[in-house]
Amino acid sequence: MKKNYSKHLWILIVISTLIRVILAATTELGNDEVYYRLYALYPDWSHFDHPPMIGWMMWIFSLGLTFTSELAFRMSPIVFAAINTFLIFQIGKEIKNERTGWFAALLYTASVYAFIIAGTFIMPDAPQSLFWLLSLWILTRVFSEKYNFEQQKKYLLLAGLFIGLAFISKYTSIFLWLGAGLYILFFDRKWLKTKELWISGIITIICMLPVLIWNLQNDFISFTFHAERVDSQGTPFRIDYLLTEIAGEFLYNNPVNFILLFIVVVAFLRKKIFIDRHMGRLLLCVGMPVILLFWFFACFRSTLPHWSGPAFVSLIPLCAAWLDEKQQSQRLFNTWNTLGLSLIFVGLSLAVFHIHTGLIFPDKIHTEAEDLGEYDFSLDLYGWHQAGKGFGEIRQKAIANGEMPAVAPIVSYRWFPAANQDYYIAEPNNTHVLVIGDLERIHKFAWINQARGGFQEGMDMWYVTSSHDFSPPQDHFSEYFETIGEPVMIPIYRCGKVVENFFVYQLHNLKQLPKDNLIN
């Protein structure tokens, strides 16, 4: 009996979406998430770190910042992940059949990158993944023999639009044109003679204009920042960086998916036919060069495994086609899918359990108040609500005693934990955060400082640090303030046990104004 894969797809989408909603609603925002939230609060044509799309999407899905909970800010990634599951199904269906699409949807759901990083958390990868998959879906139609040439040319124009939207989500989306260009150069050169190819490129450039103009106005600071992160000139070969990158990709994409992917790539290169050769070549051209490029960067510089996430996602339909070829039965799940889904479910369950209990990887090394919880990664996502409440009590007491003015803001020295403090500590207590430091450390706060009125001589300010990432104010601000008071400690409890401490300092009389980091 033929399976109704579309029906099962919608069940998969509903269940996975509900899981992401629960996770988003019950977990505090991480360092990157609270920072990207500032893109919605202070929208611009682009930003120091990334293009503007994630900020625009947060603003839209929070109904113009009417709702500002963790779930509200995370709604766009959750919705996009549901759409992406449908899109990866459509790509699999396009290149082979419905069962290939179903297997692709299962592999996508099993990916930590797709399910969590781009599918639950507030990251530029969230809108990028949506427009990346839309681009890939359209590109499969552009180069498929199922469609006549006139249809293909219209699809190519649409691909240019989606690639442009992907670019203003995250810069690495330009690799979509790299993949399409490689395919055209090696396998389908007739496109070089068509005006549609060049018009499609122009459409992408038009979409890029806001980012290009912003960078032009700001001395191309964003492009320079990212170029320096992967610049290998004059740096020695680092095998530890490369192995860390590969290990991160192994975990982020799910070990099962990672192993399957390279088995399938080798099988295709050895001409084990399980997919139309045009489609297989296209997927390889989009995915493999990006993976290899980031492996090269990782030989010299420290990289982050999620940077290559879209490339791995691009190869999922190829893996799904191989699974379809190998499976003779009509079972909905095969061994690879079952293992992958089981692994992400167990891993996610353990991570959530530890975040809320701290029982799996307790930090038994540090017991001093200033370094308690230093090695507990879960504290990035826990304790901030308690810190905000504790700060509010300290602040109100200091205001009542005349020790601090009600208008005193919080000062920080780096974009994190400044962004965490802005959302969880400052905002609930009707104050704000300003940041002192070099542009490379404070990022978008250089612009936010100006929007919030900047610094004035004589200001009193608060400083907050935690034992998870302890850094006393004397290390950063002794030259700026006349006096720095003794800290008041806020213990953070988890399951009745103190797992972290926050320290609140009073900084009095700003005697030296920090430099203005803005270029324009």
Side-chain angles (χ1 to χ4, degrees):
M1 181 178 176
K2 186 177 179 180
K3 298 286 186 181
N4 185 346
Y5 292 107
S6 295
K7 174 185 175 182
H8 294 293
L9 172 69
W10 290 113
I11 295 173
L12 176 67
I13 290 174
V14 169
I15 293 175
S16 60
T17 300
L18 287 175
I19 293 173
R20 285 191 290 267
V21 166
I22 294 171
L23 177 64
T26 58
T27 307
E28 294 181 357
L29 301 179
N31 292 339
D32 290 321
E33 295 184 277
V34 282
Y35 177 72
Y36 294 130
R37 156 190 165 269
L38 297 169
Y39 286 17
L41 268 66
Y42 297 90
D44 205 340
W45 289 117
S46 194
H47 305 279
F48 176 81
D49 321 72
H50 290 290
M53 186 66 78
I54 183 61
W56 295 347
M57 293 298 102
M58 276 190 287
W59 192 89
I60 291 170
F61 279 82
S62 65
L63 301 182
L65 302 177
T66 301
F67 303 98
T68 58
S69 67
E70 288 94 345
L71 178 59
F73 281 124
R74 286 169 169 159
M75 277 309 299
S76 58
I78 292 170
V79 172
F80 294 162
I83 298 172
N84 291 345
T85 308
F86 173 80
L87 289 174
I88 203 84
F89 174 86
Q90 293 299 324
I91 294 170
K93 181 180 174 182
E94 186 71 41
I95 66 174
K96 194 167 186 180
N97 56 42
E98 271 204 354
R99 189 166 74 161
T100 296
W102 167 246
F103 287 155
L106 292 174
L107 292 171
Y108 185 85
T109 303
S111 165
V112 178
Y113 171 80
F115 194 92
I116 302 296
I117 298 172
T120 306
F121 291 163
I122 305 167
M123 300 284 281
D125 301 72
Q128 181 196 34
S129 64
L130 172 65
F131 296 117
W132 185 289
L133 284 174
L134 280 168
S135 302
L136 188 61
W137 182 26
I138 296 302
L139 287 173
T140 59
R141 296 190 167 204
V142 171
F143 301 115
S144 173
E145 295 179 340
K146 297 179 183 178
Y147 305 94
N148 63 51
F149 197 42
E150 292 304 313
Q151 290 175 309
Q152 291 174 323
K153 288 190 286 188
K154 292 177 182 178
Y155 283 130
L156 185 56
L157 297 177
L158 191 57
L161 172 63
F162 288 140
I163 294 174
L165 294 174
F167 179 86
I168 61 172
S169 300
K170 196 170 183 180
Y171 296 135
T172 51
S173 300
I174 202 64
F175 291 131
L176 282 163
W177 268 122
L178 171 65
L182 287 173
Y183 179 84
I184 290 171
L185 286 174
F186 286 106
F187 307 111
D188 206 350
R189 292 191 183 91
K190 71 175 183 291
W191 285 102
L192 296 173
K193 300 177 182 179
T194 64
K195 65 178 184 295
E196 283 77 13
L197 174 64
W198 309 105
I199 294 173
S200 182
I202 292 171
I203 292 172
T204 298
I205 293 172
I206 291 172
C207 292
M208 294 164 58
L209 282 178
V211 173
L212 297 175
I213 292 172
W214 185 92
N215 272 276
L216 180 64
Q217 294 171 341
N218 290 275
D219 202 24
F220 293 95
I221 187 64
S222 186
F223 295 153
T224 303
F225 169 69
H226 286 290
E228 290 175 351
R229 299 177 82 182
V230 295
D231 182 17
S232 60
Q233 186 175 0
T235 57
F237 176 75
R238 293 287 299 268
I239 186 65
D240 55 330
Y241 285 168
L242 177 60
L243 293 178
T244 299
E245 170 69 17
I246 294 174
E249 292 172 350
F250 183 76
L251 295 174
Y252 279 26
N253 295 284
N254 192 316
V256 174
N257 287 11
F258 189 90
I259 294 169
L260 174 64
L261 185 147
F262 284 98
I263 291 173
V264 172
V265 168
V266 170
F268 184 83
L269 293 176
R270 293 179 62 188
K271 300 182 179 180
K272 301 288 183 66
I273 304 301
F274 52 88
I275 188 176
D276 175 81
R277 61 190 178 91
H278 298 291
M279 294 296 95
R281 288 169 175 173
L282 173 63
L283 296 176
L284 282 180
C285 285
V286 173
M288 285 307 301
V290 180
I291 294 171
L292 296 175
L293 185 62
F294 280 109
W295 283 2
F296 171 77
F297 291 150
C299 289
F300 305 97
R301 300 296 295 263
S302 178
T303 55
L304 296 176
H306 70 278
W307 291 352
S308 60
F312 281 92
V313 168
S314 300
L315 295 171
I316 283 177
L318 188 68
C319 297
W322 185 82
L323 292 176
D324 176 76
E325 187 79 11
K326 292 295 182 181
Q327 181 165 314
Q328 301 301 318
S329 70
Q330 292 298 311
R331 290 181 302 147
L332 279 173
F333 300 89
N334 55 51
T335 302
W336 290 97
N337 294 136
T338 302
L339 285 174
L341 290 169
S342 299
L343 191 58
I344 191 173
F345 178 78
V346 172
L348 184 59
S349 298
L350 291 175
V352 172
F353 179 75
H354 177 68
I355 289 170
H356 291 285
T357 67
L359 296 177
I360 300 178
F361 303 108
D363 184 358
K364 297 180 180 179
I365 298 175
H366 297 98
T367 56
E368 297 295 327
E370 289 81 5
D371 58 18
L372 184 64
E374 180 180 357
Y375 291 154
D376 188 345
F377 67 90
S378 68
L379 292 176
D380 286 339
L381 301 165
Y382 186 88
W384 288 101
H385 280 297
Q386 292 184 51
K389 182 178 179 181
F391 173 81
E393 295 171 356
I394 294 170
R395 176 176 177 269
Q396 289 301 322
K397 183 177 179 181
I399 293 172
N401 293 338
E403 297 173 6
M404 291 288 283
V407 296
I410 297 171
V411 66
S412 187
Y413 66 97
R414 189 178 59 192
W415 65 269
F416 75 94
N420 304 71
Q421 294 172 11
D422 192 70
Y423 180 59
Y424 285 107
I425 298 178
E427 187 174 283
N429 291 290
N430 299 312
T431 186
H432 59 275
V433 172
L434 299 175
V435 188
I436 297 175
D438 294 334
L439 185 59
E440 288 73 18
R441 291 181 67 83
I442 73 174
H443 293 197
K444 185 173 174 61
F445 276 101
W447 287 262
I448 294 174
N449 285 343
Q450 282 198 350
R452 290 176 171 175
F455 299 88
Q456 291 85 40
E457 290 185 3
M459 288 179 71
D460 292 338
M461 305 184 79
W462 297 96
Y463 178 79
V464 182
T465 187
S466 78
S467 59
H468 178 55
D469 182 31
F470 185 72
S471 188
Q474 290 83 357
D475 290 353
H476 311 287
F477 306 124
S478 58
E479 65 181 287
Y480 290 101
F481 291 91
E482 187 173 304
T483 60
I484 297 176
E486 292 297 315
V488 180
M489 190 169 69
I490 304 171
I492 303 300
Y493 292 88
R494 185 164 57 182
C495 292
K497 179 183 177 182
V498 177
V499 293
E500 179 183 14
N501 293 305
F502 277 78
F503 301 88
V504 180
Y505 297 79
Q506 295 180 16
L507 282 60
H508 293 284
N509 191 16
L510 181 68
K511 58 185 180 180
Q512 177 182 326
L513 294 179
K515 68 176 182 179
D516 185 352
N517 287 289
L518 294 188
I519 295 165
N520 57 352

